[in-house]
Amino acid sequence: FDLPRTCTTSELDTPRQREGVLHRSVIDAEGRVLACGRLDLQPGHRDGPSAQLRYFGVSPTSRGSGVGQMLVRHLEEEA
Protein backbone atom coordinates (compact mmCIF):
# COMPACT_ATOMS: atom_id res chain seq x y z
CA PHE A 1 0.00 0.00 0.00
CA ASP A 2 1.18 3.49 -0.73
CA LEU A 3 -0.01 5.12 2.49
CA PRO A 4 1.66 8.16 4.01
CA ARG A 5 3.70 7.21 7.06
CA THR A 6 1.38 9.21 9.31
CA CYS A 7 -1.49 6.88 8.31
CA THR A 8 0.43 3.74 9.18
CA THR A 9 1.96 4.70 12.53
CA SER A 10 0.89 6.19 15.82
CA GLU A 11 2.48 7.17 19.13
CA LEU A 12 1.64 3.65 20.37
CA ASP A 13 4.12 2.22 17.85
CA THR A 14 7.20 3.64 19.56
CA PRO A 15 9.15 2.46 21.31
CA ARG A 16 8.49 -1.04 20.02
CA GLN A 17 9.50 -2.71 23.29
CA ARG A 18 7.87 -1.02 26.23
CA GLU A 19 6.10 -2.00 29.39
CA GLY A 20 2.48 -2.95 28.78
CA VAL A 21 2.97 -4.33 25.27
CA LEU A 22 2.41 -8.07 24.87
CA HIS A 23 3.32 -9.98 21.72
CA ARG A 24 1.83 -13.46 21.41
CA SER A 25 2.17 -16.11 18.69
CA VAL A 26 0.72 -19.53 18.02
CA ILE A 27 3.36 -21.82 16.55
CA ASP A 28 2.86 -25.37 15.31
CA ALA A 29 5.09 -28.39 15.99
CA GLU A 30 7.17 -27.61 12.89
CA GLY A 31 7.87 -24.07 14.10
CA ARG A 32 5.52 -22.28 11.66
CA VAL A 33 3.71 -19.21 12.94
CA LEU A 34 -0.05 -19.81 12.65
CA ALA A 35 -1.22 -16.56 14.24
CA CYS A 36 0.21 -13.58 16.07
CA GLY A 37 -1.01 -10.44 17.73
CA ARG A 38 0.00 -7.49 19.85
CA LEU A 39 -1.89 -6.23 22.89
CA ASP A 40 -1.28 -2.71 24.18
CA LEU A 41 -2.25 -2.39 27.83
CA GLN A 42 -3.13 1.20 28.66
CA PRO A 43 -3.54 1.48 32.44
CA GLY A 44 -3.36 5.29 32.37
CA HIS A 45 -6.00 5.85 29.70
CA ARG A 46 -8.11 8.97 30.37
CA ASP A 47 -11.32 6.87 30.51
CA GLY A 48 -9.79 4.29 32.85
CA PRO A 49 -7.65 1.21 32.24
CA SER A 50 -8.06 -0.22 28.77
CA ALA A 51 -6.33 -2.40 26.22
CA GLN A 52 -6.05 -2.34 22.45
CA LEU A 53 -5.54 -5.36 20.20
CA ARG A 54 -3.20 -4.36 17.39
CA TYR A 55 -1.38 -6.01 14.51
CA PHE A 56 -3.31 -9.27 14.55
CA GLY A 57 -2.93 -11.84 11.81
CA VAL A 58 -3.60 -15.48 10.95
CA SER A 59 -1.68 -17.37 8.27
CA PRO A 60 -3.77 -18.09 5.17
CA THR A 61 -3.45 -21.85 5.70
CA SER A 62 -4.74 -21.57 9.28
CA ARG A 63 -7.78 -19.39 8.61
CA GLY A 64 -11.02 -21.07 9.61
CA SER A 65 -9.27 -23.48 11.98
CA GLY A 66 -10.16 -21.56 15.16
CA VAL A 67 -6.56 -20.66 15.98
CA GLY A 68 -7.32 -16.94 15.57
CA GLN A 69 -10.30 -17.14 17.92
CA MET A 70 -8.17 -18.99 20.44
CA LEU A 71 -5.51 -16.27 20.33
CA VAL A 72 -8.08 -13.47 20.65
CA ARG A 73 -9.59 -15.17 23.72
CA HIS A 74 -6.10 -15.52 25.23
CA LEU A 75 -5.32 -11.84 24.62
CA GLU A 76 -8.69 -10.82 26.11
CA GLU A 77 -7.83 -12.78 29.24
CA GLU A 78 -4.45 -11.05 29.40
CA ALA A 79 -6.19 -7.66 29.19
Side-chain angles (χ1 to χ4, degrees), residues 5-76:
R5 183 148 174 82
T6 55
C7 290
T8 59
T9 62
S10 78
E11 70 279 357
L12 295 174
D13 293 329
T14 53
R16 295 268 185 227
Q17 298 296 324
R18 71 177 198 285
E19 189 173 330
V21 174
L22 305 175
H23 296 90
R24 297 293 184 261
S25 298
V26 178
I27 301 171
D28 69 10
E30 286 79 37
R32 294 179 296 233
V33 176
L34 305 179
C36 61
R38 173 177 143 180
L39 183 68
D40 286 330
L41 301 173
Q42 301 165 0
H45 192 272
R46 62 182 159 83
D47 295 328
S50 65
Q52 184 179 36
L53 178 61
R54 297 175 55 91
Y55 308 112
F56 189 87
V58 177
S59 72
T61 58
S62 297
R63 293 179 186 157
S65 70
V67 71
Q69 289 178 332
M70 179 186 71
L71 183 55
V72 167
R73 281 193 304 271
H74 172 77
L75 290 170
E76 286 177 335

